[in-house]
Amino acid sequence: MTRIPSEVLRIADDIRSMRIRGAGRIARAAAEALMIAATNYSGEDLGDFTRYMEDVSRLLLSTRPTAVSLPNAVSYVMKQLRKDYRGVEDARAAVISAARSFIEHSKRAVEAISIIGSRMIKGGETIVTHCNSSAVTGILAKAWSDGKMFRVYATETRPRFQGYITARDLASKGIPVTLIPDSAAVYAMRRADLVIVGADAISSNGALVNKIGTSQIALAAKAHGVPFYVAAETYKFSPYTLIGEPIEIEEREAEEVIHPVPEGIEVRNPVFDATPAEYIDAIITEIGVISPEMAIIIITDYLGHRVSVDMLKSLEDSEPL
Amino acid sequence: MTRIPSEVLRIADDIRSMRIRGAGRIARAAAEALMIAATNYSGEDLGDFTRYMEDVSRLLLSTRPTAVSLPNAVSYVMKQLRKDYRGVEDARAAVISAARSFIEHSKRAVEAISIIGSRMIKGGETIVTHCNSSAVTGILAKAWSDGKMFRVYATETRPRFQGYITARDLASKGIPVTLIPDSAAVYAMRRADLVIVGADAISSNGALVNKIGTSQIALAAKAHGVPFYVAAETYKFSPYTLIGEPIEIEEREAEEVIHPVPEGIEVRNPVFDATPAEYIDAIITEIGVISPEMAIIIITDYLGHRVSVDMLKSLEDSEPL
Amino acid sequence: MTRIPSEVLRIADDIRSMRIRGAGRIARAAAEALMIAATNYSGEDLGDFTRYMEDVSRLLLSTRPTAVSLPNAVSYVMKQLRKDYRGVEDARAAVISAARSFIEHSKRAVEAISIIGSRMIKGGETIVTHCNSSAVTGILAKAWSDGKMFRVYATETRPRFQGYITARDLASKGIPVTLIPDSAAVYAMRRADLVIVGADAISSNGALVNKIGTSQIALAAKAHGVPFYVAAETYKFSPYTLIGEPIEIEEREAEEVIHPVPEGIEVRNPVFDATPAEYIDAIITEIGVISPEMAIIIITDYLGHRVSVDMLKSLEDSEPL
Amino acid sequence: MTRIPSEVLRIADDIRSMRIRGAGRIARAAAEALMIAATNYSGEDLGDFTRYMEDVSRLLLSTRPTAVSLPNAVSYVMKQLRKDYRGVEDARAAVISAARSFIEHSKRAVEAISIIGSRMIKGGETIVTHCNSSAVTGILAKAWSDGKMFRVYATETRPRFQGYITARDLASKGIPVTLIPDSAAVYAMRRADLVIVGADAISSNGALVNKIGTSQIALAAKAHGVPFYVAAETYKFSPYTLIGEPIEIEEREAEEVIHPVPEGIEVRNPVFDATPAEYIDAIITEIGVISPEMAIIIITDYLGHRVSVDMLKSLEDSEPL
Amino acid sequence: MTRIPSEVLRIADDIRSMRIRGAGRIARAAAEALMIAATNYSGEDLGDFTRYMEDVSRLLLSTRPTAVSLPNAVSYVMKQLRKDYRGVEDARAAVISAARSFIEHSKRAVEAISIIGSRMIKGGETIVTHCNSSAVTGILAKAWSDGKMFRVYATETRPRFQGYITARDLASKGIPVTLIPDSAAVYAMRRADLVIVGADAISSNGALVNKIGTSQIALAAKAHGVPFYVAAETYKFSPYTLIGEPIEIEEREAEEVIHPVPEGIEVRNPVFDATPAEYIDAIITEIGVISPEMAIIIITDYLGHRVSVDMLKSLEDSEPL
Amino acid sequence: MTRIPSEVLRIADDIRSMRIRGAGRIARAAAEALMIAATNYSGEDLGDFTRYMEDVSRLLLSTRPTAVSLPNAVSYVMKQLRKDYRGVEDARAAVISAARSFIEHSKRAVEAISIIGSRMIKGGETIVTHCNSSAVTGILAKAWSDGKMFRVYATETRPRFQGYITARDLASKGIPVTLIPDSAAVYAMRRADLVIVGADAISSNGALVNKIGTSQIALAAKAHGVPFYVAAETYKFSPYTLIGEPIEIEEREAEEVIHPVPEGIEVRNPVFDATPAEYIDAIITEIGVISPEMAIIIITDYLGHRVSVDMLKSLEDSEPL
């Protein structure tokens, strides 16, 4: 059996050790690893090539079992191997081409989202955002540079105050921005025309997993009839949820909330929460503006994930995802 | 014109006379009948083969015009005949292969749903269910056998008390189960983390047709912010609704409710009710977890139903569906 | 200290042993006992008379600590003792007059509710009711005898099927009535113009405690924009809730639901549930049609209950309510 | 470079000058123009043919930049040019065939919608409609001619009273129709079983743009649990919204509302409003009954629109859509 | 028995013949008639005086059985007769004083509402109103004259266009006002901070009866989280609803909607609709800002209406209200 | 005219300078001042005494025009002066008695609320609270000391972290308490059975003004069907809102949110927000558990505020409240 190239092993280790982090960077690194593996394959047998590539895929997938973009990159590239090729050369070319396409596409996703999202801003709006999302600030910066006037309420986003980054970023571009405590979301919503937030992951039934507090902003938006938009690259759509795996809601250390933690007081510090699809008016992706309920189409048709009983059963036999 | 084999005629009659019943069994019998018909065809002309298979399809479809899984099986197999084949052999092989695939797939659908659905249970939940669904009990049994701890409220499901079957089934597996009158659904919902129910049919716009009482459980779930899941094999998605045909809501005899029926009192005993898509958080199918709004994708892309004016007009001319 | 007359002791015992039952009958018996006690008092000292009457009151209140109408009768009569009288005769007369007024009023409460409620039916309606309430059937019978045409859906009301009584009662008067399983409430609501139900108790913040299943009928009515009315005599308004005491939700034996209870299955059989005020459009009382939020006015102004810290503290010291 | 035939130029001008108007007619004229252009092409080079056809497409698209059906026709036809052809003849044939298919399909779309929609009417309903839609009157006329009995509430639809046309049209077919002021929509909804309205455009996230007042009818339907259906040909689905372009809400002259406009009074006369997908139970299209959330599938898979960063950037460089 | 003075008879006839109209004017005329009757009474017997005044009351009440302010005036004055007087002089003085107080109070009610309501406007708001209410325009004019800046959307209010009067009235005071079709209420609500409407009547459970279209404005306000205020003099609170009498929803001639009415088209022209209390944030009355659920307090405590079985029964015996 | 005693002037100044602060302390100081003033009055003329006391009232009211409890204390005491007294002595005695009653009552209000509210906790609940309220911690401490077991989620309450005080206070009593960021309110609500918060003020239509963030906790509670209770002494009910005066929403310095405030970033720091009555299930006051819609009864009947046109007009003439 062909050995996995050391460069690929290094990339896998970098993902595992979190030297490579961030949904986009992880995804592109995995695609690049597949491209390198295909390039380095020296055999002549198509079946062997396929098994070899599957080994590489498994290796990559094992590095961060909960990273949502990793399986998307692998699946996007590997679905090319399902077709009938005349030989290794054709298969290799298909894999390399798919990997390049994914990398290119992924790199330009935020740019595409910025262009699309900016068109949804007419000018004159008051816009609420939460936490810090490059897709959201991309949209706002693009709309502002297109000459549209608007103002933004940014929540401070306890406990880590990522809203400060958003506020500073927007202010540096000259966009009028108002920082508010998280608890003033209803106050802002009474004045708002639009909410735009980013995404950590989107499940196959369209639920949004994003920074803690997002779901109450969604509740406030619904109560005031304010449209609620999400900006999300397609590699944020979770293929695990397609097969029932819940998106893990990480909890961070109590000291982020209060330091030191007073005796006798428990502290919970969940990082994310889930906002059901019914609260989301649209998701702005690089392939267009969609309903959240369309999430499964992104996962299956665009990203290439499929379910079968055999796959499910082998999943059962292996270690938990 | 080639005669329809007697074995096929017998299957058709068994479906008509309800000797073969149940959505899954009906669907598989129809696929098998198409396979037998294709196998027995002895001509050489592709056009004739196609017409012959269409005759068989029409025969099968006529046996139970409202059975939702029947047209799904027929369509899944027959959509193979649309492709260009070199001769009868290729077409026959395609039909037989599709029929086998459908049968195999259908047989394993509940198993796949059980695996997928069980992953959506984290452990520690209180779960409400209604009536008796093999997909739901499959999910619960799988989750329990995976070592997850939870408890179930099962409604008794008047008038036929199918909830007793559910309760006994779960109890026999050691799952803690509490039986409640249908009217105590709000009582249970105050304590619940999750609702999972089965499906009799799902319409092309994602509405769920299920045992009477399902829609008020959905109302109670919505009022308490409790996720509402449906477990449904893809052959439960109704292709008739795609062309506007409402799912028939059967009514059974009054004596099921009260016996004898007192003079001067009318009794209504509708078997099903319809729950709109907006009350459903996810449908767990054997091909993954989807939004109810995705129903039409299942019906058109996966099951292969298409609409055309000509088809609609011929439908008009024939007897009512 | 004056001894409590044996007739009063007997009434107290009859209430305690549930020989006297039903909200109205209990209330009238208590008022009668107070009247007898006042009549039999032979002293001349107003202070002594007051203390004696308070003893009688405490005795009566202790007989069924959770009966909602009992404290209402006692309070209605006893609030007369707060005024300045010239002597025992005046005080006695006031007590007797109040007791008579309460009894007369209480006896005619259902009649008044029937007249008032019947005016709210214009004719032509489809009306949903649940369980069996004399106030509701009184309203329907009155409206029907006034020549108004309408039809009624009566839920069977598991587990004790009190809906049968309602259906038979209405049918005997010639009113078109349709019996449905509890789970068909949404089915009925799609066709309904009005819901009218009775009450077991109404809390000081307007929540309705009534037969299990009432709250999901209220949910269904809200989802269909159907007005939801409650028919309740004023002595159904709970004074205990004024001071924070929750209305006890009794549970009855499992065997009412299923007999014998299968091994390994828990059965819950709560008798009542609580419907928040926001689901209730109006309460029809014998003193007029009110909003549920007005409940405290009935309890304090009409029935005469008042709260003070001293009262609360003495309550604390005594045995639990 | 091949010159664009004068017949094509004339069609383009007729669309620009609104001599050709109406979503269906514009779409069919554009498809016809593409067919004529392809027929008249006399070169031999496939690349040149493609560039020539793209020139024609751009010309057509520029005539009415906000007409929603125009890009749908062009895209439906032009997506054929993406495939690998052996030469101009094959490409031309594909283009002509697609144009014919689009024209034929489009012509019969209302007929198909009428057949499908009519099946969703069981008979006995009270139906509310707003403004005047040929798809809606088609559905009602078909259902009526099939012997179903029902009644219709038509809103007068200020300021131009298009509801009169609907009412007269239905009355002329013998359908019982009641005309009401727009402000009586809640009055009608209390009696209604169903709402069916047409569409001016549907956005990629399923929001409906239709005659002003539609959104409040949707609010009233939701508040009364009445299903809300939209009848819309697929060419009403806006591809511009896929890339974030809002559907323009035209405003007409104040004099339509009040003439002359009194001094000191501003008058606003917006022609359309937007109804979010969550208020819509189903969209009846000629290819079946779908959820509004499926809109993007119609736009991408059926009509053939795709998004890429390059396309977005070239869009940026050109004049605004 | 003392004869009723001719001046009283004339007032009664003027109310009956609608020479005296408008809730306020009718109420004051009735109070004046009672004052005249009391002044003209020449007997010495208190019982006779009481019976005589009751005769006058009955006469007045019979003139317009559905006018909501008439019984309020009569009740306000006549409740004085319940007290113990030493003779006719005292009783007469009490009646005359109560009548004067009612007239004075009623005349100044709109002024008080204007002062109170104007304080609820901070400045900077966009305010929606419907139809034409002197209490609402009073509030707006007062706030404007106090130097507060705001803008108003006035619906045209089909079919009689009373919104034009509102718009002209506000414009004449320099208040920025925008006239919109009734169907553009959602359009306005997206920009609104506040809704203020008048009242034709308020029922004992807090439901508002006002010009047709009010209820859909309330729905739109709720969907956008916009506070909905009602401005209503206390004599608009209906005492009839206390005893179950529905507020009559008058229908006017079809020709108001369309003239001539086309053949085969039914026209409905209901003048009012009912908005449930849950949609109303506050009612601004001359005695303060209250919740709609407080309506019964106004009717019973302030206006003096009480319910008894005897009253209800005598009501039954007399001609219908 | 009698001079105001220097002790009264000192109290007035202490309130003005905020040496006396807190709703309860301010109210009691004002009542005490009135008592001192009455005691020190040395005249014999009732009219003069009344005018003198009114002068003292005006002085006290002017010290902190927005303090909600101040006018409540003054009004409670001063409404005694409306009655007919035989001379100054009687009037003085009435005033002093009312002042004493108010002070005593006010001191014991939190104790009474603790007893009443603790009865509403059955044991076993998960309870969410926000900010720091002595009435809420009183209820929780009382319930805990009564042996009821429950757990509390306390939000940290940015920007001043008053939730830490709540958490420490509860922890010191051994009550299990979990501190969460404000943005985790939905996270807590999924697990909650009950919300209890305090009040800064309650308006005459039942809206709650409380620490910023309360309204989004109320939204989350509604979305999850969790009862939302408010603990509020009666002197928190705002009499100003009765006459239309909005409760002022104070804003504090930006530096509380972020220090230093980065250049180019605006910071808003509103201290309170308003929660409409429809989100509140009950208000726990020292005189019992009421609906928020009953607020006006507390203000008028219990606290003694009345509205008249003359009062409104004199208000207009004086400086703004």
Side-chain angles (χ1 to χ4, degrees), chain C residues 190-191, chain D residues 124-128 188-189 191-195 225-227:
Chain C
R190 293 232 167 90
R191 293 145 179 85
Chain D
E125 288 94 342
T126 296
I127 300 169
V128 173
M189 212 60 77
R191 293 145 179 85
D193 302 294
L194 198 60
V195 176
V226 177

Side-chain angles (χ1 to χ4, degrees), chain A residues 156 158 177-179 216 266, chain F residues 156 158 178-179 216 266:
Chain A
E156 58 177 22
R158 282 278 296 158
V177 60
T178 303
L179 190 70
Q216 68 201 32
E266 188 196 31
Chain F
E156 59 177 22
R158 282 278 297 158
T178 302
L179 190 70
Q216 67 201 31
E266 188 196 31

Side-chain angles (χ1 to χ4, degrees), chain F residues 204-224:
Chain F
S204 70
N205 71 334
L208 163 69
V209 171
N210 194 39
K211 181 57 43 79
I212 189 80
T214 302
S215 66
Q216 67 201 31
I217 285 174
L219 279 171
K222 176 74 96 189
H224 293 85

Side-chain angles (χ1 to χ4, degrees), chain E residues 109-157:
Chain E
V110 168
E111 186 185 359
I113 289 171
S114 299
I115 295 173
I116 295 172
S118 70
R119 295 175 160 259
M120 301 175 81
I121 296 175
K122 298 178 186 173
E125 288 95 342
T126 295
I127 300 169
V128 174
T129 191
H130 181 60
C131 199
N132 184 251
S133 150
S134 57
V136 172
T137 51
I139 288 170
L140 298 174
K142 174 81 177 84
W144 189 258
S145 76
D146 285 349
K148 290 165 182 169
M149 306 296 287
F150 53 86
R151 66 193 327 281
V152 179
Y153 280 100
T155 55
E156 59 177 21
T157 318

Side-chain angles (χ1 to χ4, degrees), chain E residues 52-185:
Chain E
Y52 158 80
M53 288 304 295
E54 285 168 356
D55 283 350
V56 175
S57 296
R58 264 190 295 276
L59 168 69
L60 291 167
L61 288 171
S62 71
T63 55
R64 288 208 45 201
T66 63
V68 74
S69 65
L70 184 55
N72 284 330
V74 170
S75 171
Y76 186 97
V77 174
M78 291 296 288
K79 72 176 167 176
Q80 299 306 322
L81 279 181
R82 283 179 203 128
K83 298 205 175 145
D84 298 328
Y85 295 107
R86 268 168 295 176
V88 166
E89 271 329 292
D90 282 13
R92 187 205 315 271
V95 162
I96 290 173
S97 161
R100 278 202 181 117
S101 156
F102 182 88
I103 290 167
E104 177 63 12
H105 187 101
S106 148
K107 270 184 185 160
R108 300 179 72 180
V110 168
E111 186 185 359
I113 289 171
S114 299
I115 295 173
I116 295 172
S118 70
R119 295 175 160 259
M120 301 175 81
I121 296 175
K122 298 178 186 173
E125 288 95 342
T126 295
I127 300 169
V128 174
T129 191
H130 181 60
C131 199
N132 184 251
S133 150
S134 57
V136 172
T137 51
I139 288 170
L140 298 174
K142 174 81 177 84
W144 189 258
S145 76
D146 285 349
K148 290 165 182 169
M149 306 296 287
F150 53 86
R151 66 193 327 281
V152 179
Y153 280 100
T155 55
E156 59 177 21
T157 318
R158 280 280 296 160
R160 285 166 65 134
F161 297 111
Q162 293 100 324
Y164 291 1
I165 308 171
T166 301
R168 286 202 180 91
D169 196 3
L170 297 178
S172 75
K173 290 170 175 64
I175 301 172
V177 60
T178 303
L179 191 70
I180 51 169
D182 295 308
S183 54

